[in-house]
Amino acid sequence: MTFGAKALELMEARGVSMRALARRVPIDPGHLSRVLKDVKPASADLARRLDEELDADGALVELVDERLAQATENGLQVDPAVLDRVTDMLAATRRLEDVSSAATVLPTVREYLSMVTRFATMARPSVRPAAVGLVSELHQYAGWLHVPMRRWSAAERLLDRATVLGMEANDPQRTTTALSFAAYTAMRQGHTRKAAALSEAARRDTSVHPGLRTYVAYQAAEILAGDDRNAAYKLLSEAERMVNRLDPTELTEHTYWYTPAFFRGTHAFVLAKLGERERAKEVMAESLANLPDEWRTSEWAERRRAFLAA
């Protein structure tokens, strides 16, 4: 459990509001709010004060991440463990998006982006590439979050920056993901030629995670479906074979959505573009039925639910 989640749990159990707690500590309510959302790390001193006020018997002190707090104040304290901590926080935010919305988590992602950008600027040369890679991922995720809100210009700007940073960090996984998200954004706007070029670039590096390669193959099939049906069918078959070869044990907190049920929905979109509308609806219904409950009703699955209802 994160520091913020534990503090909120204790506040609810003790019947203490955030503003009342801020007065008792004392601390600025805005700062406390960011700590409770795990956007801002708690210092050891703040953890002790909150622990006392909430009668936590040391539970909050045990959860404080002093290295992350120090790194936030002094970028020269950044080390791989600090970056791993932010990566874990980002993974938790992705899970939160599954049960909420892009608008809910975007402010948190912006805070992370600001913090890690500072880390990358001030970090030692030996740590900087890893920090830049994480900045790339945060740009990439922030860009993705703008898509459901149809903020196309913001999405494109963030994804372009994510691609450049991914290349600077020499990180094929993050670079390929940024390119594929940029292709998706272009496709959603009907910019087929741009989407095709970005998708082709995303397919060039075969060293990335098998789930990402599968996603990019499906994406290329959907983009080609309107202009080159033979190529689209070939890619669709290739992507389906790739799904069957995926190993569930290889999925991580950064690739957890690359499951057969997720890809069945992607398969349905390609079939629809190829004119197989009824079959596409059958496949989409199968996909939604097999998604975990929190995914089935998530905002990112709204396009899939709408497809089935149309």
Side-chain angles (χ1 to χ4, degrees), residues 44 92 96 226 274 299:
L96 176 59
L274 289 166
E299 183 184 54

Side-chain angles (χ1 to χ4, degrees), residues 47 92 111 128 145 187-188 193 225 230 258 288 307:
E111 291 272 6
R128 179 173 164 76
L145 292 173
M187 181 174 65
R188 288 290 303 275
R193 292 178 67 179
N230 289 335
Y258 292 140
L288 288 170
F307 176 88

Side-chain angles (χ1 to χ4, degrees), residues 38-50:
D38 289 312
V39 169
K40 194 86 171 174
S43 66
D45 182 62
L46 177 58
R48 283 192 294 271
R49 292 289 297 125
L50 293 175

Side-chain angles (χ1 to χ4, degrees), residues 3 20 75 86 122 136 140-141 177 193 197-198 200 205 242 298:
F3 182 91
V86 179
M122 300 181 68
S136 171
Q140 164 217 122
Y141 187 37
T177 303
R193 292 178 67 179
L198 288 164
E200 183 178 349
D205 197 319
M242 292 169 74
S298 65

Side-chain angles (χ1 to χ4, degrees), residues 176-197:
T176 298
T177 303
L179 286 166
S180 69
F181 283 2
Y184 178 80
T185 302
M187 181 174 65
R188 288 290 303 275
Q189 296 177 84
H191 301 159
T192 306
R193 292 178 67 179
K194 181 178 180 180

Side-chain angles (χ1 to χ4, degrees), residues 227-260:
D227 297 321
D228 191 338
R229 292 172 59 84
N230 289 335
Y233 273 116
K234 182 178 179 181
L235 277 168
L236 186 61
S237 297
E238 177 186 330
E240 194 163 22
R241 287 193 297 271
M242 292 169 74
V243 171
N244 293 332
R245 292 196 298 267
L246 288 177
D247 182 353
T249 64
E250 293 182 354
L251 296 180
T252 68
E253 279 300 311
H254 312 290
T255 58
Y256 69 90
W257 57 89
Y258 292 140
T259 64

Side-chain angles (χ1 to χ4, degrees), residues 4-299:
K6 183 62 178 179
L8 288 168
E9 179 185 272
L10 288 165
M11 288 167 62
E12 183 176 359
R14 309 288 190 264
V16 179
S17 71
M18 186 189 73
R19 289 195 175 277
L21 183 60
R23 285 195 300 270
R24 283 158 51 176
V25 169
I27 186 175
D28 174 70
H31 182 88
L32 179 58
S33 174
R34 290 190 288 275
V35 169
L36 295 176
K37 293 176 181 176
D38 289 312
V39 169
K40 194 86 171 174
S43 66
D45 182 62
L46 177 58
R48 283 192 294 271
R49 292 289 297 125
L50 293 175
D51 203 284
E52 292 170 4
E53 293 296 337
L54 295 172
D55 193 23
D57 196 25
L60 290 176
V61 173
E62 289 179 2
L63 287 172
V64 73
D65 193 330
E66 186 63 16
R67 278 188 303 183
L68 182 56
Q70 289 174 351
T72 303
E73 299 304 320
N74 179 3
L76 296 176
Q77 301 276 350
V78 174
D79 61 19
V82 167
L83 298 179
D84 287 345
R85 178 70 183 106
V86 179
T87 300
D88 290 342
M89 291 159 60
L90 178 57
T93 302
R94 291 184 192 276
R95 294 286 190 175
L96 176 59
E97 185 206 349
D98 287 336
V99 295
S100 58
S101 67
T104 298
V105 302
L106 185 55
T108 299
V109 174
R110 284 175 174 151
E111 291 272 6
Y112 292 163
L113 180 53
S114 176
M115 176 173 63
V116 181
T117 298
R118 185 168 182 271
F119 288 173
T121 301
M122 300 181 68
R124 300 185 305 275
S126 61
V127 180
R128 179 173 164 76
V132 171
L134 186 52
V135 177
S136 171
E137 182 170 350
L138 284 160
H139 273 86
Q140 164 217 122
Y141 187 37
W144 175 260
L145 292 173
H146 279 84
V147 172
M149 296 178 276
R150 298 180 179 275
R151 297 175 180 171
W152 305 119
S153 295
E156 289 171 349
R157 173 178 53 79
L158 287 159
L159 291 169
D160 284 350
R161 185 61 179 155
T163 302
V164 171
L165 289 167
M167 290 188 290
E168 180 184 337
N170 194 25
D171 191 321
Q173 181 77 15
R174 284 165 167 149
T175 302
T176 298
T177 303
L179 286 166
S180 69
F181 283 2
Y184 178 80
T185 302
M187 181 174 65
R188 288 290 303 275
Q189 296 177 84
H191 301 159
T192 306
R193 292 178 67 179
K194 181 178 180 180
L198 288 164
S199 178
E200 183 178 349
R203 295 185 67 211
R204 286 179 186 149
D205 197 319
T206 58
S207 69
V208 299
H209 188 279
L212 178 55
R213 293 205 311 272
T214 304
Y215 174 78
V216 171
Y218 269 121
Q219 182 182 76
E222 186 174 357
I223 292 168
L224 288 172
D227 297 321
D228 191 338
R229 292 172 59 84
N230 289 335
Y233 273 116
K234 182 178 179 181
L235 277 168
L236 186 61
S237 297
E238 177 186 330
E240 194 163 22
R241 287 193 297 271
M242 292 169 74
V243 171
N244 293 332
R245 292 196 298 267
L246 288 177
D247 182 353
T249 64
E250 293 182 354
L251 296 180
T252 68
E253 279 300 311
H254 312 290
T255 58
Y256 69 90
W257 57 89
Y258 292 140
T259 64
F262 169 82
F263 283 125
R264 290 302 283 167
T266 311
H267 194 108
F269 284 129
V270 182
L271 289 174
K273 284 282 186 72
L274 289 166
E276 298 187 33
R277 189 75 185 182
E278 291 308 311
R279 175 58 183 152
K281 284 199 168 189
E282 291 175 8
V283 173
M284 186 64 79
E286 175 190 328
S287 167
L288 288 170
N290 286 289
L291 289 176
D293 289 343
E294 64 269 24
W295 296 8
R296 204 177 306 161
T297 57
S298 65
E299 183 184 54

